[in-house]
Amino acid sequence: MRKVLVTGSAGFIGFHLARLLLEQGFDVVGYDAITDYYDVNLKRRRHAMLHQSPRFRAIEARLEDFAQLHSLFADERPDVVVHLAAQAGVRYSLENPRSYLESNLVGTFNVMECAREFAVGHLLMASTSSVYGANTEMPYSEHHKTDHPLTFYAATKKANEAMGHSYAHLWNLPTTMFRFFTVYGPWGRPDMALFKFVKGILEGTPIDIYNNGEMFRDFTYVADLVKGIRLLIDAVPVRPEDPAAIPAWDTLSPAAPWRVVNIGNSDKVRLADFVDAIEAECGRPAIRNYMEIQKGDVPATWADATQLFELTGYKPTTDIREGVRHFVTWYRDYFNV
Ligand SMILES: NC(=O)c1ccc[n+]([C@@H]2O[C@H](COP(=O)([O-])OP(=O)(O)OC[C@H]3O[C@@H](n4cnc5c(N)ncnc54)[C@H](O)[C@@H]3O)[C@@H](O)[C@H]2O)c1
């Protein structure tokens, strides 16, 4: 399995994953529409860095453009597909739900259709911890029900998990779904808290802290996350011959080569403590604008990452202080501040 198609290769996680795969000698084909959900220069800079490797090439197109996606699969015949392109973001899904419908449902369907037709060896697709929605039992285990999404974003990702299961079953297409937990790190997304907080602190403008700082997140450092993805590429699910023999920790479907895996740090950090760590790294205090919890937000996320460890022997370890330090160093360098 030497050629990997990464959708969303100009995105935050796609860029880090592509870089890791290139370092490890894979051929990487990128696919990204460079959407204007946030600063396209950041996306172009990420792609430009990947293009420094002769083993990287990329197409700029939308997932909804089936002809374009299909011809890329026909030309490249990837062994593995890691599908990360999506309309991301919890809050924006209240403003523009249609973009989630188009990118996440139509787009993901097109990826699955091509993966089926070209008999990809392993399809891995991004879901989110947001699918745990209104659940209160913590840490969140993949064995818990996820029937109560609180945002349309989460609903599209939950649908992706079910869509993936049907194709895995019908076409024997090995499929792994990931649930990511608040990923952060250098080259991060401008719509996410860390980016906004560092910007506000360095510019001396107020930062909005939701639920008066009584929010908890299982922050996952991006290098840890992509290491987990890389290891899961090799953990190809196989349709079980004896469903009764599936270990208790495993979410392998009894009916299909399909499983869903949390990738999180298994540590929940209080938002107020997160801000303290950022202030310490920036060397300046934040102007804190405490606010109510936002519509659709959940007060806490916390991953049970047992299954990731059982499958790969790997556990994310980067401590929040260290991760924040790497981000602030990158931010200062990137923006020259
Ligand atoms: N960052 C997180 O904390 C987090 C948490 C949970 C899940 N996820 C999921 O992980 C994946 C990657 O997230 P990210 O943080 O790198 O986001 P990102 O927005 O930085 O990357 C997504 C990329 O997909 C591209 N894209 C969007 N719609 C497209 C379309 N219709 N056709 C082609 N390209 C399109 C965008 O241009 C972007 O470069 C997404 O599926 C997201 O939902 C992320």
Side-chain angles (χ1 to χ4, degrees), residues 218-288:
D218 193 333
F219 291 101
T220 313
Y221 188 60
V222 68
D224 290 353
L225 180 97
V226 297
K227 191 164 176 199
I229 296 177
R230 164 65 194 95
L231 293 168
L232 285 170
I233 287 177
D234 294 337
V236 184
V238 177
R239 191 191 301 267
E241 278 174 22
D242 176 10
I246 298 172
W249 52 260
D250 196 346
T251 58
L252 183 65
S253 162
W258 179 99
R259 63 161 67 87
V260 58
V261 185
N262 285 341
I263 310 184
N265 216 42
S266 295
D267 184 19
K268 58 182 168 65
V269 175
R270 200 165 149 253
L271 184 57
D273 297 338
F274 184 54
V275 178
D276 290 347
I278 301 169
E279 286 178 329
E281 287 310 325
C282 291
R284 293 185 206 178
I287 306 168
R288 300 181 186 215

Side-chain angles (χ1 to χ4, degrees), residues 12-13 32 38 43 63-64 84 103 153 157 183 189:
F12 170 41
I13 297 171
D32 198 302
Y38 63 78
K43 296 183 181 183
L63 297 166
E64 298 92 311
L84 301 170
S103 294
Y153 165 63
K157 290 290 186 176
V183 188
R189 270 171 38 202

Side-chain angles (χ1 to χ4, degrees), residues 82-94:
V82 184
H83 173 43
L84 301 170
Q87 178 58 60
V90 170
R91 296 192 185 100
Y92 185 63
S93 71
L94 278 78

Side-chain angles (χ1 to χ4, degrees), residues 55-214:
R55 277 178 288 99
F56 179 76
R57 52 205 167 278
I59 295 267
E60 196 174 313
R62 292 195 67 91
L63 297 166
E64 298 92 311
D65 183 347
F66 184 69
Q68 185 73 256
L69 189 65
H70 188 271
S71 80
L72 180 78
F73 270 82
D75 292 346
E76 297 285 354
R77 309 271 169 162
D79 303 302
V80 174
V81 175
V82 184
H83 173 43
L84 301 170
Q87 178 58 60
V90 170
R91 296 192 185 100
Y92 185 63
S93 71
L94 278 78
E95 237 174 88
N96 187 3
R98 188 170 301 279
S99 72
Y100 292 75
L101 182 88
E102 287 162 358
S103 294
N104 302 3
L105 296 183
V106 177
T108 298
F109 169 73
N110 287 344
V111 171
M112 286 175 13
E113 264 295 288
C114 292
R116 170 191 72 78
E117 182 178 335
F118 294 97
V120 160
H122 193 183
L123 172 63
L124 303 100
M125 307 202 282
S127 181
T128 168
S129 61
S130 298
V131 301
Y132 291 107
N135 292 12
T136 50
E137 193 181 342
M138 303 260 172
Y140 288 151
S141 156
E142 304 94 332
H143 297 278
H144 296 166
K145 278 192 172 180
T146 52
D147 290 342
H148 302 112
L150 294 177
T151 57
F152 190 65
Y153 165 63
T156 62
K157 290 290 186 176
K158 169 78 181 166
N160 287 167
E161 294 181 6
M163 289 156 63
H165 186 273
S166 70
Y167 265 49
H169 168 68
L170 292 168
W171 310 110
N172 210 28
L173 175 63
T175 302
T176 298
M177 304 293 316
F178 319 114
R179 291 181 184 156
F180 300 151
F181 287 70
T182 318
V183 188
Y184 74 101
W187 297 93
R189 270 171 38 202
D191 62 322
M192 291 186 71
L194 177 57
F195 201 111
K196 289 197 213 164
F197 290 172
V198 170
K199 184 173 193 291
I201 291 171
L202 294 179
E203 290 176 1
T205 53
I207 59 169
D208 291 341
I209 301 178
Y210 298 126
N211 207 28
N212 300 314
E214 285 307 306

